[in-house]
Amino acid sequence: MRVHRVCLLDDLQESRPLRVVLDGQPILLTKLDGEPHAITDVCPHNGSSLADGVIKDGCVTCSGH
């Protein structure tokens, strides 16, 4: 596994999406229960950015839904 530093832990806010691009891939970063999490920042339904959506109860809802 490769590790990449893309932001400081303090840059992440609880349930607030932060979009970064790593090696050409959009990634959504956030904190959930104080722990960092990362997922692909692409809606599987329409390809839009999930970072424009809302994170509630640990689930991301795309702005297009």
Side-chain angles (χ1 to χ4, degrees):
M1 172 171 42
R2 293 174 37 200
V3 177
H4 298 274
R5 184 179 302 234
V6 293
C7 71
L8 298 174
L9 189 56
D10 288 342
D11 293 338
L12 299 179
Q13 297 178 22
E14 190 71 23
S15 296
R16 299 284 311 258
L18 174 66
R19 183 179 195 267
V20 299
V21 177
L22 181 63
D23 294 334
Q25 297 294 317
I27 308 292
L28 182 149
L29 302 173
T30 194
K31 275 186 191 172
L32 297 173
D33 296 325
E35 295 293 319
H37 291 267
I39 62 170
T40 300
D41 184 31
V42 179
C43 175
H45 301 113
N46 64 15
S48 64
S49 172
L50 293 173
D52 293 333
V54 175
I55 300 172
K56 184 177 178 184
D57 297 327
C59 295
V60 181
T61 302
C62 172
S63 62
H65 292 254

